[in-house]
Amino acid sequence: MSEYQEFLSERDKIDFLIQKGFKIEKVTENLSGAFVVFKHLENKRSATLHIQTANARKYFSNLLIHS
């Protein structure tokens, strides 16, 4: 898969969780990317995404700044 396709996939996963009412709770960066923990506001469920592409890391960083 091309890097652009990977970015689109990761962006769609982030957008899906945000639309379902999840908020970014924690970000852990390492050499293999970033682990982003999402927490649902109402029912306290959580989900973790492993974000590997630089563009997707910029995308969720932008969401953090603007929220």
Side-chain angles (χ1 to χ4, degrees), residues 11 20 42 55 59:
R11 185 195 64 186
K20 292 295 182 182
E42 295 173 4
N55 286 331
Y59 182 73

Side-chain angles (χ1 to χ4, degrees), residues 48 53 56:
T48 303
T53 62

Side-chain angles (χ1 to χ4, degrees), residues 39-54:
K39 189 89 163 192
H40 196 276
L41 298 177
E42 295 173 4
N43 60 16
K44 306 301 181 199
R45 290 185 313 178
S46 65
T48 303
L49 292 179
H50 183 204
I51 305 299
Q52 296 178 311
T53 62

Side-chain angles (χ1 to χ4, degrees), residues 5-26:
Q5 292 298 324
E6 286 182 51
F7 160 68
L8 291 178
S9 173
E10 290 176 344
R11 185 195 64 186
D12 290 346
K13 291 175 187 175
I14 292 168
D15 287 344
F16 175 78
L17 290 173
I18 297 293
Q19 289 172 358
K20 292 295 182 182
F22 286 81
K23 295 289 182 188
I24 297 173
E25 180 181 58
K26 180 181 173 184

Side-chain angles (χ1 to χ4, degrees), residues 23-36:
K23 295 289 182 188
I24 297 173
E25 180 181 58
K26 180 181 173 184
V27 176
T28 305
E29 295 266 352
N30 59 30
L31 294 176
S32 66
F35 290 93
V36 183

